[in-house]
Amino acid sequence: MSLRWLLLESRFTLAAVLVVVCFVVIWIWQRRRTRMTGRLAGACVVLSPLLLLLSVAIVTDRERIAAVCREMAVAVGSSKIDQVGQHISRSFQTASRNGMLDRDDFLDVVRSALKRWDVEEERLSDFEIETRGDRATVSFRATCRLVGPELMLPRHVSVWDLEFSREGSGWKVVDVQPRRTAMMPVDSLGDLLR
């Protein structure tokens, strides 16, 4: 946990920390009643809401990337391939069993999968996001219910690794790969698609 994460990316944790700090400072002021502890208590009460407003106002690259991932998950759950496509880069390339898939091939594969399965109750968690200039790597856990014509999986869990590139003022996906888990024993998109 870094100070940047606390101040800019975790509003609920920041709020909890600020409440505890304010209570401690006010408790100290009530015990000592000095001018310095009074000023400190007043500053705490005034600065805490300002820090929370600052945290809400500033959106980091990590928050933007997580939001893109969540928007794509909602689009998949709604079978809206065009909305998924808005977040896929024109330079998208990913390895598959039969070579490389470009953006259009990948969206066709997603479209085909969504004809076989309905994705419901999609949730993303456990984000690990690392940014390096105009590139970013992301991994997250995806949980959903998969409903097919003859089968329903009430809780399907998968882990995904994505590569992002900054394009203009936003972030676009340039590669997608599943990670091997007990529920999804594949190492590549090619294995998943066979």
Side-chain angles (χ1 to χ4, degrees), residues 34-103:
T34 65
R35 178 175 279 168
M36 186 172 126
T37 58
R39 287 181 182 161
L40 190 59
C44 187
V45 169
V46 169
L47 291 178
S48 292
L50 292 177
L51 280 174
L52 283 172
L53 285 173
L54 183 67
S55 177
V56 170
I58 296 174
V59 180
T60 66
D61 284 335
R62 292 168 43 93
E63 289 174 307
R64 285 185 184 99
I65 291 168
V68 167
C69 294
R70 287 190 173 97
E71 287 172 20
M72 287 193 303
V74 169
V76 166
S78 303
S79 296
K80 296 181 178 174
I81 301 303
D82 293 339
Q83 289 180 3
V84 174
Q86 291 174 0
H87 300 293
I88 306 294
S89 174
R90 293 273 174 214
S91 62
F92 179 90
Q93 290 282 312
T94 192
S96 78
R97 194 161 197 213
N98 300 326
M100 299 299 283
L101 293 177
D102 65 10
R103 177 184 186 275

Side-chain angles (χ1 to χ4, degrees), residues 61 129-138 163-164 166 171:
D61 284 335
I129 302 171
E130 181 181 328
T131 59
R132 295 171 315 283
D134 289 341
R135 302 289 284 190
T137 56
V138 180
E163 291 283 331
F164 278 80
R166 188 188 315 266
W171 290 89

